[in-house]
Amino acid sequence: MSAVPATPSRSSAAAAARADLLASSPHYTTTKRHSLYGTEDRIIIDPGSRVWKVGFSGEGRPRDVFVVKHTLSPVPTSASGVRDSIDEVEKERLMELELQDRLRSVFFNSLLADPKSRKVIVIESPLLPLAVKDMFARILFHNLEVPSVSFMPSHLLSLLSVGRVTGLVLDCGHTESTLLPVYASRPMFSNIRTSPLAGSRLTSHLRALLLLFASYRAPPTIIRAAAQPAVATRVPEEILTEALVEEVKAKCLFVGSPFDAATQPENDDSMDVDQPSSASTGTPSESGRSSRLSMSESQAPSSAASVSRASGSGVGSDSSFSTQEIHLRAMEELYKKHATATDIQMRVVPPPAHAVAAGSFNNARGTLTIPGWIRERAAEVLFEGGDIDERSVAELILDSLLKVPVDLRKTLASSILVVGGTAMLPGFIQRLHAEIIKTLESQPHPPASILSPRRGGQSTPTPSASGANTPPDAVTPTAVRFQHRQMIAPSPRRAYDPYATLRSIAPHIAILNNPSITNMVGHASPHALANAGKAPAFAPALIPWVGGSLAGALKISSEEVVRDRWDEAYERDQDAQRQELEDLAINTVTIEPETASPMKSPRKSQLRYRPPPAQPVGASIILEGGGLRPPAYSALPDWTRSPLSVGAPNVVWLAQQQSVPPV
Amino acid sequence: MSSILYHCTCTSASTASNVPPEPTLPSSAFAFHPLHALYFCEECDLVRCNRCVSVEVSGYFCPNCLFEVPSASVRAEKNRFRARADIFTTRCARNCFQCPHCRNTLSVVPSDPPEEILTQPRPQTTTESIGEPPFFLYCNFCRWDSQEVGIVFEKPTGLALQLQKLEDSLPDSLEFERLKDHFEPLLRSSSSSHHHTQASHHRNPITAAASSALARDVPGLHQPIRGISGRTYSNPKPPARANAPKGWDDWDSVIYKSRLEVAGSGVGIRIESELDWIKALDEGHGIGRVAEMEQRWLSSWTQSLKARQLQPLRIPLHSKKTKRCPDCRHILIKPEQKAQSVRYKIKLMAANYLPSIDVFVPSLVPPPPSGGSQLPKSKVKDAEDNGALMMQPGKSYPFQMTFTNPLYEPIQVRISVHRAPPRMTSGDAIPHRPPFGITLPSSAFPISAFAEAWEYEDDEDMFDEDDLEQMLSGNSSGGGLGLGADSRGGRGSKGHVGVLERKANVTRVGGEVLIGRDASGEVKFNMQVSYTYRAEDSAADTTSPKKTGKDDPAAAGEMKTFTFFTLVSLGSIAPKADTGSGASKRDSASTSAR
C-alpha cells in the first residue's frame, strides 16, 4: 500500500508533493477537478480492428466492450484499378456510414452521454490510415459535434497504464501485431515493426486445423438414437461459423511452452536441398509462403498458414488442398508429440442441411471434439519465425531491438510490455519470453547456411524433418533476397546470425506484465528481475484503454484538434475539392489515373513489403489527398505528416499548457 | 417483397443537390429509412433521420425496476463514487442484477430456514415473507446463485450499496488511483519547468529544441559505469541537474510500484494454475467451465478464466433521449420524464407530414392458400425459390401504390422516377442503366384531406371491387370527387397506369414495370414525390418566412410544395429459364438475399 519506495534519486520536492497528495482525503481528486456536471471526463475510444473499448476517462475499466463486424481498413485496391475507383469511393462511403452508426451507438447506447460537451480521445494504432483518422474526425465533429478530438498512440498509453514512459510495446491485436519502442514518452516511429501474425491469422489457422483434425458427431436422430451413437466424421464446413471459431479460440486455446524437438538441429543441409528448387520456379507473389515453407521444420506450419490463407479468402482448389493436407498431417505428427492437453468436446449447432435431412430434434446439438494438441499448439502459428514479411512476435521484438540505438537496448529490452487481445491467450506472454530467450541463446547456423544467403533471415533453429518434399513454389522474390544480402553483408565470414549483437542482452529481457517470472531467476540480470512482472495486473487487451483513461484523467493528451480549427480546415478543403470535382467533370479520362492512385491504399503494399524502417513508413500514406474522396484535412496532426521534432515532447504534451478555449 | 423507404438528405449532404444515391449502390441502404423512423423539422422543412439528429439524454432509468434516475443525480453519484463511477451512472444502483452466465434477471432469495424450523411447523412462516438473513442472488433460468462466488447479503434491499463495499476495493480501481497519484506530481513539476522554458521556445524554436536535445539525459553518458540497474534504482542524479524531474525525460527516474503486480504472489500463481487448469480441462463438460470472452472482457483486471468465478452484473440503465434538429436545434422528440410513461411531450414524426406510401405488385402476391393450413410452409418457400413470386424477364407487371394523406388539407401529388445521371466510369463505355423500365402517372393526382372517420361522406361505396375492375379495363369513373379532375390525364396506354381509386384520404395509383430481357437482380428505383398543399393562414403565420418564400414567393404562403425521394423496391427478378439446375437456383437465392 505504501507509495514508491523512497529512492535517493527522487527529488525531495516531488516527494513532498507526493506525500501531500497521499495525505489528503480520497475526495481530493474529485473535488479538485471535476465540476458538478461531470462533463470534464473525456470519452476514451479504443477502436480495435475487431473489438472496441469505450468508456470515460478517470475510470478503471471501460463501460462497454463490443465486437465490430467490419474492420476499419481502407479499401484494398484491386489490381485492375480504374474501373473500381467509383466502387471504392462507394466502399469508403459505406465504411464511413458504418463508422458513423457505430460512433453514434457508442455515445447514445453505450455511454449515454451527450457528445456536445465531451472531449474525445481516440486511441490510435500508429499505422491507422489517415483516411480512417479523417473519417473519425469528420464524424465526431460534424455529426456528433464534439468540442475536441485528440488521437493518442496506443503504445504510449499502454506504457502509461503500467506507470512508465519508456518501453518496448508489442500490441498483438486482431489484424496485426505492432511493435513500437517508446523512449521517454516519445514513440520511435521509425523503429516500428509489424507483422500480420495476429488474431485473425490465428483464427483462420485454427479453422483450417479444426476442419481437418477435429471430429464431429451429428446429433442423435430419431432412427439412429436407439441403435448407436452417431459416427464421428470430419467437421462440416458449415458448422464452423466465425462465432464458433472465435469461441473455440477464446475458451479452449492456450499457448503451450516451447517444445524441445525444435531445438535439436537434425539436418542442416536442408538449406542446400531447398536452394535449387527454390531458385527454379515460382512467382514473387508467393514470397510469403515460400520463405515460410523452406524454413520450417516440417513445412507443416507454413502450409497450415497457407491453408488458412486459402480458406480465409475462400479460394482453395482441390488439388492444392491435398498437398496442404499432407503438410497439415505432418504438423499433426509433430505437435501431437509435444502436447499434453486434453481433448475437448463442444456442443455445436448442426448444419441446417443435416438437421432437416436427418429429421432430428429441433434443438439437438452435434458434438465437436477438439484434439488437445490443437488447443495447445494452434497458437504456434504466431511464434513461427523465419519469414521476412511475417515476423513472429518474438522476432518483431528482436528486430526492433536491433534497430534502436545501442544505448537504449538494455533499457528497452528489460521493459517489454505486451498488450492486445491475442495476448490474452493463457500462456502467451510466458511463451513469448521463452521464445525470445530461446532465439537469443540458441546456436547460430553453421557456416553451411552462408551458401544460401536468403535463408539468413531465419533465426530460429529450424531443422527440417521432411525437407525432402520441398514445395515447388519455394522461391524468393528479388526484393526479399536483396534485403537479405544487405543484412548479411557486414559479416561475410561467419554464419549468418542476425541477432548476434543482441545475444549479450538476453539476461536483460524482461516482460513487464509477465505473470510467471520464476524461471527467470538465475538467468536474468537483477535489473530484468526488478522489471519483469512488475506491471499492475491489468488485462492485456484493456491496457491501452486504461492508459487512455489515465491520460484523460491527468489531462494530458496529444495535440488536440478543436472544432473551430477543424471546421476552418474542412471548409478550405471542401472548396478545393469542389474545384477538383469540377475539373474532373470536364475531362474525366485524363484525370482518371490520378483519381485511382490515391485510392491505392499504402497499407496493402506495406503488408507485403514494408519499406526499410529508416524512412518513415507513413511516407507513402501522404499519397492521400485530392482525388475523388475528401482529402486529408490538414488540421489533423499525425506523425506521418510532419517531421518529428527533436527534443521537445511532441507526442504527449500538456493540455494544461495549451490555450484551448473552453468550448 | 415490395417495400418503400424514404430518403433523408443527411447522407448525401456533401453532394450539392441532395440527390439520393443510386438504388444499386450499397450505401443506399443508409440513406433510406422506413417512414416511421423519420422525423420532420418544421423550421427547416426537412426530413430528419436517426443518423443526423442530435441526441441528448434527458433521463436514465433501469429497465428492470423502472426506477428513474435523474441526470443530476447521476452526475452527483458519479462524483461521489469516482472510482467505480460506472456502477452508479450507467448501471442500476438498486437491487437489479443480471446473471453472469445467461443475462437473466436475478432474484433475491433468502436462505433455507434451519432444519429445526422446517421440522416443527410454525404458523408464522407464511407471514414472514422476508425469510432468513443470508440472502443471495438466484437465477431462475440457469440456477446460478451468488453463493458460488461468495456473495451474500444481510438484508434483501439496497443490494448494490451492500455490494459496493466489496467493489470499492476492487484491484483495478485502486491501481488506477495509484497510477494517477504516481503521475500527478510528475506532471505538476514538469509543467512548472515547462513554463520556464517557454520563453526560449518563443525566442527560437530550433535552438530551443537543439538545446533541449543536448540537455537530455543520455543513459550511460554521464556515468559510464552506471549499469542498467543504476538508471532506475539507486543511482543519484547527476549533480548538474536540478532535483525535480523536469519533464517527460525524467519520468523514468521515478519508478512506479504497482499495488498488485502481475507476477505477484496472488495474481501470478493464479494465472499459472489456470494455465494448468485449462490444459487439463475435462473432456466432456470442461468447456462449460471456461468463462466466455464476453463475460470476461469488460474487466480491465486480469480475471479468472473460470466461469464459476464470474460476478453478478448490474443491469445497465437505459436512457430517454431528446432529439433535436441538427441545424436549427428545435426539438423533434421529447419523451415524458417518467420511466413508466411511453408518451412524448413533443413528437414531430415525418409520418404526420409526408404522405405514406404502400406499394405492391398484384401478380406477385402469393395466392391465398386454398387448402388453408394444410399447405405446408415449405411449399410457399418452394414457390419463391422457383420464381413463381418473382418477376420474369421480358414481361411487364402493373403495380399499385397507395398514398395516404396525413395532412388536414388536400394535397396534389406528383411522382416521377428519379434517375441518376449516368455513371462516368471510363472502364465501361456504356453507362450503367437499370435493366427495367418504370412507367408512372405523369400528371399530378389529388389526395383528400385527412379527417376523422365520421366526417367522410358515404363516397366509399363508389369504389368497390367492381369499380376497380372497371378502372383496370380503362373505363374509369375516378373523377367523381372534386379534386380528381385531371386524374385521367395521367392514364397510361394500357390502363394500369394512373389513378385507380380514391377513397377518403387514400388514393391508389397504378404504375407499370417492364423487365428487360436479360435482367436480373432486384427491381429498385428512386422515386421523387412532390406534393403541393394550401397552407392554412394560421399555419403560415407560425412557419418561418424562409419556408414560404422558398417554393412559391408569389403566393406568399398560400401554396407550398414539398419534395422528397423514396426508394421503391418491387421485388426481385427471377433468374433465367434454366431454373432446373441446382446451381442457378442457388445463384438466384443468393442474389435475392443480396
Side-chain angles (χ1 to χ4, degrees), chain B residues 525-586:
Chain B
F525 64 96
N526 287 346
M527 183 173 75
Q528 186 176 20
V529 181
S530 55
Y531 63 94
T532 310
Y533 59 100
R534 183 179 299 274
E536 286 171 23
D537 286 346
S538 57
D541 289 341
T542 54
T543 51
S544 68
K546 168 192 151 219
K547 175 186 167 186
T548 52
K550 190 173 78 180
D551 299 316
D552 194 356
E558 288 295 290
M559 299 298 291
K560 288 185 219 157
T561 305
F562 185 82
T563 303
F564 60 95
F565 292 99
T566 55
L567 172 70
V568 184
S569 57
L570 295 175
S572 44
I573 302 170
K576 282 287 208 161
D578 54 338
T579 40
S581 80
S584 77
K585 221 184 206 174
R586 211 171 303 128

Side-chain angles (χ1 to χ4, degrees), chain A residues 100 104 107-108 113-116 142-146, chain B residues 39 48-57 321-334:
Chain A
Q100 184 184 328
R104 284 181 78 87
F107 278 93
F108 304 138
D114 183 6
K116 279 195 272 309
H142 290 168
N143 192 280
L144 292 164
E145 302 175 40
V146 301
Chain B
Y39 312 104
R48 298 290 180 196
C49 71
N50 261 324
R51 300 180 56 84
C52 57
V53 290
S54 59
V55 180
E56 289 160 18
V57 175
K321 292 162 190 149
T322 300
K323 297 181 179 174
R324 290 173 183 273
C325 172
D327 287 342
C328 66
R329 303 277 158 213
H330 278 78
I331 294 180
L332 302 176
I333 281 283
K334 189 179 172 65

Side-chain angles (χ1 to χ4, degrees), chain A residues 2 11 33 41 60-61 63 90 101 104 143 145 166 186 252 342 375 410 430 534-535 537 539 652, chain B residues 27 50-51 53 78 89 172 178 184 228 243 248-249 252 258 261-262 272 278 281 287 300 302 329:
Chain A
S2 78
S11 74
R33 262 190 284 101
D41 297 314
R61 56 173 67 180
R63 292 278 178 97
E90 173 68 14
D101 278 355
R104 284 181 78 87
N143 192 280
E145 302 175 40
T166 294
R186 291 167 184 79
C252 303
T342 53
R375 292 175 51 215
K410 283 183 184 171
Q430 295 96 308
K534 290 295 185 289
V652 174
Chain B
S27 69
N50 261 324
R51 300 180 56 84
V53 290
K78 182 176 169 103
T89 52
D172 57 342
R178 193 185 169 90
E184 250 165 8
I228 203 91
N243 279 333
W248 289 83
D249 287 352
D252 282 327
S258 310
E261 292 163 357
V262 68
E272 283 295 293
I278 199 167
L281 263 190
I287 189 90
S300 61
T302 52
R329 303 277 158 213

